[in-house]
Amino acid sequence: GAGVSQTPSNKVTEKGKYVELRCDPISGHTALYWYRQSLGQGPEFLIYFQGTGAADDSGLPNDRFFAVRPEGSVSTLKIQRTERGDSAVYLCASSLGGLAGANTGELFFGEGSRLTVL
Amino acid sequence: SQQGEEDPQALSIQEGENATMNCSYKTSINNLQWYRQNSGRGLVHLILIRSNEREKHSGRLRVTLDTSKKSSSLLITASRAADTASYFCATGAGNMLTFGGGTRLMVKP
């Protein structure tokens, strides 16, 4: 597709369950970012991929959160043993070469996956 | 943690008026970007200003950057009801883009 695609758009789960959120970036974009946004707040950085490798995962809140990008395109954010505090909108963004690359540094965002943990 | 802090947190104006939003940040940056977010939607990039630039224009948008004061402003001229949204500044350093808490703008018709 033309833009960043995120699935599911909405996910309701119970406390303690495992969740996967998927991001399909714009074709050709090597950089991929995951952010988390709580209601009324700005996006909070989670992890950044350059190609297949996690170049910066300093924003992951704890070891229940993990993300992969095995072929350098689609990425999956995985949350184990979900807690009510994990409820938020999870945003994925991609860019051509990362902020320090040859492009303007603009990030293209998906519409987000709204996670609700009951 | 969020580096940028927007001011005001909320702004309500009449259509046709100008809207000014301010952003302050703490550490050195490569660039500063402004994004817009409609309720329940993803963020859309508006404009990027590099650390060696002082002012930039794009249509009805004007952005200024003062690196000595670590601050930026976004001016939307001749606002329209369709400009109603949340606006976020984001500071770029290395490959990290850090967002502020946003300004919620309401433009009344």
Side-chain angles (χ1 to χ4, degrees):
Chain A
V4 177
S5 176
Q6 291 189 247
T7 55
S9 56
N10 278 286
K11 175 71 177 178
V12 180
T13 191
E14 293 180 343
K15 180 175 178 297
K17 299 289 188 182
Y18 170 79
V19 165
E20 286 191 355
L21 306 175
R22 175 189 166 108
C23 174
D24 200 340
I26 293 172
S27 178
H29 280 193
T30 60
L32 186 146
Y33 299 77
W34 282 99
Y35 286 83
R36 177 169 71 174
Q37 187 176 28
S38 299
L39 190 64
Q41 303 293 317
E44 175 189 17
F45 170 79
L46 295 177
I47 187 169
Y48 157 66
F49 288 91
Q50 184 62 259
T52 60
D56 187 338
D57 64 356
S58 62
L60 294 178
N62 52 59
D63 60 7
R64 296 187 297 105
F65 288 75
F66 189 70
V68 295
R69 194 185 186 199
E71 298 177 357
S73 178
V74 171
S75 176
T76 304
L77 178 65
K78 308 180 181 195
I79 309 173
Q80 298 178 324
R81 304 183 303 281
T82 51
E83 299 177 356
R84 292 194 179 89
D86 298 335
S87 296
V89 175
Y90 289 81
L91 296 166
C92 177
S94 69
S95 71
L96 270 172
L99 297 176
N103 68 325
T104 61
E106 172 184 355
L107 297 192
F108 295 82
F109 280 84
E111 295 292 311
S113 293
R114 181 177 298 276
L115 175 65
T116 303
V117 181
L118 301 177
Chain B
S1 63
Q2 295 177 326
Q3 164 161 232
E5 293 294 333
E6 282 94 335
D7 169 54
Q9 291 187 330
L11 181 60
S12 180
I13 59 174
Q14 293 293 137
E15 206 165 28
E17 294 179 341
N18 295 342
T20 300
M21 289 160 266
N22 302 297
C23 170
S24 61
Y25 58 93
K26 295 185 176 69
T27 62
S28 297
I29 61 172
N30 295 334
N31 63 65
L32 187 143
Q33 304 181 34
W34 285 89
Y35 286 78
R36 167 194 166 126
Q37 185 178 38
N38 284 45
S39 182
R41 306 297 298 274
L43 282 82
V44 175
H45 180 264
L46 293 176
I47 196 166
L48 179 152
I49 186 165
R50 299 190 187 284
S51 60
N52 61 354
E53 297 176 311
R54 292 296 167 259
E55 187 171 314
K56 205 160 184 181
H57 296 253
S58 176
R60 293 184 295 114
L61 305 181
R62 172 178 169 252
V63 169
T64 62
L65 178 64
D66 186 335
T67 52
S68 67
K69 294 181 179 177
K70 291 188 169 55
S71 67
S72 173
S73 68
L74 171 67
L75 169 68
I76 304 174
T77 61
S79 64
R80 305 166 181 167
D83 294 330
T84 294
S86 291
Y87 293 81
F88 296 91
C89 71
T91 51
N95 284 308
M96 177 77 72
L97 192 64
T98 305
F99 286 84
T103 292
R104 280 158 285 288
L105 173 65
M106 175 172 288
V107 182
K108 300 176 185 176

mmCIF file of all heavy atoms in Angstrom, chain A residues 64-104:
data_model
loop_
_atom_site.group_PDB
_atom_site.id
_atom_site.type_symbol
_atom_site.label_atom_id
_atom_site.label_comp_id
_atom_site.label_asym_id
_atom_site.label_seq_id
_atom_site.Cartn_x
_atom_site.Cartn_y
_atom_site.Cartn_z
ATOM 1 N N ARG A 64 8.857 -7.408 29.154
ATOM 2 C CA ARG A 64 7.636 -7.987 28.587
ATOM 3 C C ARG A 64 7.424 -7.534 27.145
ATOM 4 O O ARG A 64 6.627 -8.125 26.416
ATOM 5 C CB ARG A 64 6.424 -7.606 29.435
ATOM 6 C CG ARG A 64 6.433 -8.155 30.855
ATOM 7 C CD ARG A 64 5.122 -7.869 31.568
ATOM 8 N NE ARG A 64 4.884 -6.434 31.720
ATOM 9 C CZ ARG A 64 4.003 -5.744 31.000
ATOM 10 N NH1 ARG A 64 3.264 -6.356 30.070
ATOM 11 N NH2 ARG A 64 3.841 -4.445 31.214
ATOM 12 N N PHE A 65 8.129 -6.476 26.776
ATOM 13 C CA PHE A 65 7.995 -5.911 25.433
ATOM 14 C C PHE A 65 9.167 -6.348 24.570
ATOM 15 O O PHE A 65 10.329 -6.280 24.977
ATOM 16 C CB PHE A 65 7.978 -4.380 25.499
ATOM 17 C CG PHE A 65 6.724 -3.799 26.076
ATOM 18 C CD1 PHE A 65 6.471 -3.849 27.431
ATOM 19 C CD2 PHE A 65 5.786 -3.190 25.244
ATOM 20 C CE1 PHE A 65 5.297 -3.321 27.958
ATOM 21 C CE2 PHE A 65 4.626 -2.643 25.760
ATOM 22 C CZ PHE A 65 4.394 -2.711 27.128
ATOM 23 N N PHE A 66 8.838 -6.766 23.344
ATOM 24 C CA PHE A 66 9.869 -7.207 22.412
ATOM 25 C C PHE A 66 9.384 -6.910 21.000
ATOM 26 O O PHE A 66 8.192 -6.968 20.729
ATOM 27 C CB PHE A 66 10.104 -8.713 22.583
ATOM 28 C CG PHE A 66 11.288 -9.223 21.834
ATOM 29 C CD1 PHE A 66 12.571 -8.894 22.230
ATOM 30 C CD2 PHE A 66 11.143 -10.047 20.725
ATOM 31 C CE1 PHE A 66 13.675 -9.359 21.534
ATOM 32 C CE2 PHE A 66 12.239 -10.516 20.025
ATOM 33 C CZ PHE A 66 13.503 -10.160 20.436
ATOM 34 N N ALA A 67 10.292 -6.563 20.109
ATOM 35 C CA ALA A 67 9.899 -6.296 18.727
ATOM 36 C C ALA A 67 10.903 -6.934 17.783
ATOM 37 O O ALA A 67 12.092 -7.028 18.093
ATOM 38 C CB ALA A 67 9.817 -4.795 18.458
ATOM 39 N N VAL A 68 10.407 -7.365 16.636
ATOM 40 C CA VAL A 68 11.252 -7.989 15.625
ATOM 41 C C VAL A 68 10.946 -7.387 14.264
ATOM 42 O O VAL A 68 9.860 -6.870 14.023
ATOM 43 C CB VAL A 68 11.055 -9.524 15.591
ATOM 44 C CG1 VAL A 68 11.510 -10.154 16.896
ATOM 45 C CG2 VAL A 68 9.600 -9.879 15.281
ATOM 46 N N ARG A 69 11.944 -7.540 13.393
ATOM 47 C CA ARG A 69 11.784 -7.114 12.002
ATOM 48 C C ARG A 69 12.681 -8.022 11.160
ATOM 49 O O ARG A 69 13.695 -7.597 10.626
ATOM 50 C CB ARG A 69 12.187 -5.642 11.857
ATOM 51 C CG ARG A 69 11.743 -5.018 10.541
ATOM 52 C CD ARG A 69 12.280 -3.616 10.397
ATOM 53 N NE ARG A 69 11.742 -2.982 9.203
ATOM 54 C CZ ARG A 69 12.304 -1.923 8.626
ATOM 55 N NH1 ARG A 69 13.410 -1.382 9.135
ATOM 56 N NH2 ARG A 69 11.768 -1.381 7.552
ATOM 57 N N PRO A 70 12.334 -9.284 11.050
ATOM 58 C CA PRO A 70 13.237 -10.320 10.535
ATOM 59 C C PRO A 70 13.733 -10.119 9.108
ATOM 60 O O PRO A 70 14.856 -10.525 8.794
ATOM 61 C CB PRO A 70 12.410 -11.607 10.659
ATOM 62 C CG PRO A 70 10.998 -11.153 10.747
ATOM 63 C CD PRO A 70 11.021 -9.820 11.420
ATOM 64 N N GLU A 71 12.941 -9.521 8.250
ATOM 65 C CA GLU A 71 13.358 -9.365 6.859
ATOM 66 C C GLU A 71 13.546 -7.904 6.479
ATOM 67 O O GLU A 71 13.629 -7.576 5.292
ATOM 68 C CB GLU A 71 12.352 -10.062 5.938
ATOM 69 C CG GLU A 71 12.275 -11.562 6.190
ATOM 70 C CD GLU A 71 11.231 -12.249 5.341
ATOM 71 O OE1 GLU A 71 10.520 -11.555 4.578
ATOM 72 O OE2 GLU A 71 11.105 -13.477 5.438
ATOM 73 N N GLY A 72 13.583 -7.054 7.472
ATOM 74 C CA GLY A 72 13.833 -5.645 7.196
ATOM 75 C C GLY A 72 12.649 -4.884 6.642
ATOM 76 O O GLY A 72 12.810 -3.754 6.167
ATOM 77 N N SER A 73 11.451 -5.524 6.723
ATOM 78 C CA SER A 73 10.257 -4.819 6.247
ATOM 79 C C SER A 73 9.211 -4.809 7.354
ATOM 80 O O SER A 73 9.260 -3.934 8.226
ATOM 81 C CB SER A 73 9.731 -5.477 4.974
ATOM 82 O OG SER A 73 8.553 -4.825 4.534
ATOM 83 N N VAL A 74 8.337 -5.801 7.368
ATOM 84 C CA VAL A 74 7.288 -5.884 8.378
ATOM 85 C C VAL A 74 7.903 -6.052 9.769
ATOM 86 O O VAL A 74 8.901 -6.752 9.958
ATOM 87 C CB VAL A 74 6.348 -7.063 8.064
ATOM 88 C CG1 VAL A 74 5.390 -7.312 9.217
ATOM 89 C CG2 VAL A 74 5.579 -6.804 6.774
ATOM 90 N N SER A 75 7.289 -5.385 10.739
ATOM 91 C CA SER A 75 7.737 -5.513 12.125
ATOM 92 C C SER A 75 6.571 -5.949 12.994
ATOM 93 O O SER A 75 5.413 -5.594 12.722
ATOM 94 C CB SER A 75 8.284 -4.180 12.621
ATOM 95 O OG SER A 75 8.642 -4.250 14.007
ATOM 96 N N THR A 76 6.880 -6.698 14.045
ATOM 97 C CA THR A 76 5.875 -7.120 15.014
ATOM 98 C C THR A 76 6.318 -6.699 16.399
ATOM 99 O O THR A 76 7.452 -6.967 16.805
ATOM 100 C CB THR A 76 5.679 -8.643 14.982
ATOM 101 O OG1 THR A 76 5.349 -9.056 13.656
ATOM 102 C CG2 THR A 76 4.550 -9.055 15.926
ATOM 103 N N LEU A 77 5.428 -6.012 17.103
ATOM 104 C CA LEU A 77 5.650 -5.662 18.501
ATOM 105 C C LEU A 77 4.916 -6.697 19.351
ATOM 106 O O LEU A 77 3.730 -6.932 19.147
ATOM 107 C CB LEU A 77 5.128 -4.263 18.801
ATOM 108 C CG LEU A 77 5.255 -3.761 20.243
ATOM 109 C CD1 LEU A 77 6.711 -3.601 20.635
ATOM 110 C CD2 LEU A 77 4.511 -2.433 20.420
ATOM 111 N N LYS A 78 5.646 -7.310 20.272
ATOM 112 C CA LYS A 78 5.085 -8.399 21.072
ATOM 113 C C LYS A 78 5.062 -7.971 22.536
ATOM 114 O O LYS A 78 6.068 -7.482 23.050
ATOM 115 C CB LYS A 78 5.932 -9.666 20.910
ATOM 116 C CG LYS A 78 6.161 -10.042 19.444
ATOM 117 C CD LYS A 78 7.001 -11.290 19.289
ATOM 118 C CE LYS A 78 7.221 -11.603 17.807
ATOM 119 N NZ LYS A 78 7.723 -12.970 17.588
ATOM 120 N N ILE A 79 3.916 -8.175 23.167
ATOM 121 C CA ILE A 79 3.779 -7.830 24.580
ATOM 122 C C ILE A 79 3.323 -9.075 25.325
ATOM 123 O O ILE A 79 2.259 -9.632 25.036
ATOM 124 C CB ILE A 79 2.766 -6.690 24.793
ATOM 125 C CG1 ILE A 79 3.088 -5.507 23.863
ATOM 126 C CG2 ILE A 79 2.795 -6.244 26.252
ATOM 127 C CD1 ILE A 79 2.031 -4.407 23.899
ATOM 128 N N GLN A 80 4.140 -9.507 26.276
ATOM 129 C CA GLN A 80 3.807 -10.696 27.071
ATOM 130 C C GLN A 80 3.139 -10.269 28.366
ATOM 131 O O GLN A 80 3.373 -9.165 28.879
ATOM 132 C CB GLN A 80 5.085 -11.472 27.390
ATOM 133 C CG GLN A 80 5.810 -11.997 26.166
ATOM 134 C CD GLN A 80 7.096 -12.726 26.529
ATOM 135 O OE1 GLN A 80 7.793 -12.325 27.464
ATOM 136 N NE2 GLN A 80 7.421 -13.764 25.803
ATOM 137 N N ARG A 81 2.315 -11.153 28.911
ATOM 138 C CA ARG A 81 1.701 -10.958 30.232
ATOM 139 C C ARG A 81 1.184 -9.518 30.366
ATOM 140 O O ARG A 81 1.593 -8.770 31.248
ATOM 141 C CB ARG A 81 2.716 -11.264 31.328
ATOM 142 C CG ARG A 81 3.311 -12.661 31.222
ATOM 143 C CD ARG A 81 4.271 -12.951 32.388
ATOM 144 N NE ARG A 81 5.361 -11.991 32.488
ATOM 145 C CZ ARG A 81 6.455 -11.976 31.758
ATOM 146 N NH1 ARG A 81 6.615 -12.906 30.799
ATOM 147 N NH2 ARG A 81 7.400 -11.072 31.943
ATOM 148 N N THR A 82 0.285 -9.156 29.464
ATOM 149 C CA THR A 82 -0.187 -7.772 29.415
ATOM 150 C C THR A 82 -0.751 -7.317 30.757
ATOM 151 O O THR A 82 -1.336 -8.090 31.516
ATOM 152 C CB THR A 82 -1.265 -7.590 28.336
ATOM 153 O OG1 THR A 82 -2.286 -8.589 28.522
ATOM 154 C CG2 THR A 82 -0.677 -7.702 26.951
ATOM 155 N N GLU A 83 -0.563 -6.031 31.017
ATOM 156 C CA GLU A 83 -1.079 -5.387 32.221
ATOM 157 C C GLU A 83 -1.993 -4.242 31.791
ATOM 158 O O GLU A 83 -1.888 -3.727 30.675
ATOM 159 C CB GLU A 83 0.089 -4.856 33.060
ATOM 160 C CG GLU A 83 1.048 -5.935 33.515
ATOM 161 C CD GLU A 83 2.240 -5.388 34.296
ATOM 162 O OE1 GLU A 83 2.337 -4.146 34.413
ATOM 163 O OE2 GLU A 83 3.046 -6.207 34.776
ATOM 164 N N ARG A 84 -2.862 -3.811 32.719
ATOM 165 C CA ARG A 84 -3.800 -2.740 32.390
ATOM 166 C C ARG A 84 -3.064 -1.474 31.979
ATOM 167 O O ARG A 84 -3.515 -0.711 31.128
ATOM 168 C CB ARG A 84 -4.744 -2.486 33.558
ATOM 169 C CG ARG A 84 -5.685 -3.649 33.796
ATOM 170 C CD ARG A 84 -6.837 -3.298 34.720
ATOM 171 N NE ARG A 84 -7.684 -4.480 34.870
ATOM 172 C CZ ARG A 84 -7.507 -5.426 35.805
ATOM 173 N NH1 ARG A 84 -6.517 -5.326 36.664
ATOM 174 N NH2 ARG A 84 -8.318 -6.458 35.864
ATOM 175 N N GLY A 85 -1.901 -1.243 32.558
ATOM 176 C CA GLY A 85 -1.113 -0.066 32.219
ATOM 177 C C GLY A 85 -0.532 -0.080 30.820
ATOM 178 O O GLY A 85 -0.010 0.935 30.349
ATOM 179 N N ASP A 86 -0.630 -1.221 30.131
ATOM 180 C CA ASP A 86 -0.157 -1.305 28.752
ATOM 181 C C ASP A 86 -1.181 -0.729 27.778
ATOM 182 O O ASP A 86 -0.871 -0.556 26.593
ATOM 183 C CB ASP A 86 0.123 -2.763 28.358
ATOM 184 C CG ASP A 86 1.209 -3.413 29.195
ATOM 185 O OD1 ASP A 86 2.063 -2.678 29.734
ATOM 186 O OD2 ASP A 86 1.196 -4.653 29.330
ATOM 187 N N SER A 87 -2.383 -0.439 28.266
ATOM 188 C CA SER A 87 -3.429 0.104 27.403
ATOM 189 C C SER A 87 -2.984 1.443 26.831
ATOM 190 O O SER A 87 -2.616 2.357 27.578
ATOM 191 C CB SER A 87 -4.732 0.283 28.188
ATOM 192 O OG SER A 87 -5.224 -0.965 28.618
ATOM 193 N N ALA A 88 -2.996 1.553 25.524
ATOM 194 C CA ALA A 88 -2.527 2.761 24.834
ATOM 195 C C ALA A 88 -2.721 2.542 23.337
ATOM 196 O O ALA A 88 -3.136 1.459 22.904
ATOM 197 C CB ALA A 88 -1.052 3.027 25.118
ATOM 198 N N VAL A 89 -2.399 3.577 22.571
ATOM 199 C CA VAL A 89 -2.327 3.423 21.119
ATOM 200 C C VAL A 89 -0.862 3.213 20.754
ATOM 201 O O VAL A 89 -0.001 4.005 21.153
ATOM 202 C CB VAL A 89 -2.890 4.654 20.393
ATOM 203 C CG1 VAL A 89 -2.691 4.503 18.886
ATOM 204 C CG2 VAL A 89 -4.359 4.850 20.714
ATOM 205 N N TYR A 90 -0.584 2.154 20.032
ATOM 206 C CA TYR A 90 0.772 1.841 19.612
ATOM 207 C C TYR A 90 0.931 2.282 18.158
ATOM 208 O O TYR A 90 0.242 1.801 17.271
ATOM 209 C CB TYR A 90 1.064 0.355 19.805
ATOM 210 C CG TYR A 90 1.170 0.012 21.267
ATOM 211 C CD1 TYR A 90 0.027 -0.199 22.044
ATOM 212 C CD2 TYR A 90 2.408 -0.033 21.901
ATOM 213 C CE1 TYR A 90 0.115 -0.456 23.404
ATOM 214 C CE2 TYR A 90 2.501 -0.307 23.263
ATOM 215 C CZ TYR A 90 1.352 -0.507 24.000
ATOM 216 O OH TYR A 90 1.451 -0.759 25.347
ATOM 217 N N LEU A 91 1.844 3.216 17.951
ATOM 218 C CA LEU A 91 2.044 3.831 16.652
ATOM 219 C C LEU A 91 3.334 3.315 16.015
ATOM 220 O O LEU A 91 4.362 3.183 16.682
ATOM 221 C CB LEU A 91 2.151 5.350 16.784
ATOM 222 C CG LEU A 91 0.913 6.082 17.289
ATOM 223 C CD1 LEU A 91 1.270 7.500 17.703
ATOM 224 C CD2 LEU A 91 -0.170 6.109 16.226
ATOM 225 N N CYS A 92 3.255 3.044 14.739
ATOM 226 C CA CYS A 92 4.433 2.650 13.976
ATOM 227 C C CYS A 92 4.708 3.739 12.944
ATOM 228 O O CYS A 92 3.777 4.360 12.406
ATOM 229 C CB CYS A 92 4.176 1.318 13.278
ATOM 230 S SG CYS A 92 5.525 0.756 12.214
ATOM 231 N N ALA A 93 5.977 4.001 12.688
ATOM 232 C CA ALA A 93 6.355 4.988 11.685
ATOM 233 C C ALA A 93 7.557 4.472 10.903
ATOM 234 O O ALA A 93 8.358 3.694 11.426
ATOM 235 C CB ALA A 93 6.692 6.323 12.338
ATOM 236 N N SER A 94 7.674 4.908 9.674
ATOM 237 C CA SER A 94 8.845 4.520 8.881
ATOM 238 C C SER A 94 9.423 5.742 8.185
ATOM 239 O O SER A 94 8.756 6.774 8.043
ATOM 240 C CB SER A 94 8.480 3.434 7.863
ATOM 241 O OG SER A 94 7.640 3.933 6.838
ATOM 242 N N SER A 95 10.673 5.623 7.810
ATOM 243 C CA SER A 95 11.309 6.695 7.036
ATOM 244 C C SER A 95 12.370 6.080 6.140
ATOM 245 O O SER A 95 12.801 4.947 6.340
ATOM 246 C CB SER A 95 11.904 7.769 7.945
ATOM 247 O OG SER A 95 13.042 7.279 8.620
ATOM 248 N N LEU A 96 12.819 6.877 5.171
ATOM 249 C CA LEU A 96 13.717 6.355 4.148
ATOM 250 C C LEU A 96 15.039 5.877 4.716
ATOM 251 O O LEU A 96 15.513 4.799 4.418
ATOM 252 C CB LEU A 96 13.985 7.437 3.093
ATOM 253 C CG LEU A 96 13.023 7.468 1.928
ATOM 254 C CD1 LEU A 96 13.282 8.690 1.064
ATOM 255 C CD2 LEU A 96 13.152 6.199 1.100
ATOM 256 N N GLY A 97 15.652 6.718 5.578
ATOM 257 C CA GLY A 97 16.989 6.342 6.014
ATOM 258 C C GLY A 97 17.258 6.669 7.464
ATOM 259 O O GLY A 97 18.410 6.820 7.850
ATOM 260 N N GLY A 98 16.197 6.848 8.248
ATOM 261 C CA GLY A 98 16.428 7.290 9.612
ATOM 262 C C GLY A 98 16.654 8.787 9.626
ATOM 263 O O GLY A 98 16.858 9.426 8.602
ATOM 264 N N LEU A 99 16.627 9.369 10.799
ATOM 265 C CA LEU A 99 16.692 10.820 10.903
ATOM 266 C C LEU A 99 18.048 11.364 10.489
ATOM 267 O O LEU A 99 18.169 12.484 10.036
ATOM 268 C CB LEU A 99 16.379 11.267 12.334
ATOM 269 C CG LEU A 99 14.977 10.915 12.799
ATOM 270 C CD1 LEU A 99 14.817 11.317 14.252
ATOM 271 C CD2 LEU A 99 13.938 11.623 11.950
ATOM 272 N N ALA A 100 19.090 10.572 10.628
ATOM 273 C CA ALA A 100 20.425 11.030 10.285
ATOM 274 C C ALA A 100 20.800 10.649 8.863
ATOM 275 O O ALA A 100 21.910 10.879 8.442
ATOM 276 C CB ALA A 100 21.442 10.445 11.259
ATOM 277 N N GLY A 101 19.852 10.079 8.138
ATOM 278 C CA GLY A 101 20.139 9.627 6.784
ATOM 279 C C GLY A 101 20.033 10.738 5.762
ATOM 280 O O GLY A 101 19.955 11.911 6.083
ATOM 281 N N ALA A 102 19.956 10.357 4.522
ATOM 282 C CA ALA A 102 19.978 11.325 3.434
ATOM 283 C C ALA A 102 18.635 12.000 3.211
ATOM 284 O O ALA A 102 18.549 12.954 2.461
ATOM 285 C CB ALA A 102 20.414 10.638 2.149
ATOM 286 N N ASN A 103 17.594 11.489 3.867
ATOM 287 C CA ASN A 103 16.272 12.082 3.634
ATOM 288 C C ASN A 103 16.058 13.258 4.574
ATOM 289 O O ASN A 103 16.936 13.651 5.323
ATOM 290 C CB ASN A 103 15.189 11.022 3.831
ATOM 291 C CG ASN A 103 15.081 10.600 5.272
ATOM 292 O OD1 ASN A 103 16.083 10.548 5.980
ATOM 293 N ND2 ASN A 103 13.886 10.320 5.726
ATOM 294 N N THR A 104 14.863 13.808 4.550
ATOM 295 C CA THR A 104 14.594 14.998 5.332
ATOM 296 C C THR A 104 14.425 14.680 6.804
ATOM 297 O O THR A 104 14.414 15.577 7.626
ATOM 298 C CB THR A 104 13.297 15.667 4.859
ATOM 299 O OG1 THR A 104 12.224 14.755 5.027
ATOM 300 C CG2 THR A 104 13.400 16.072 3.399
#
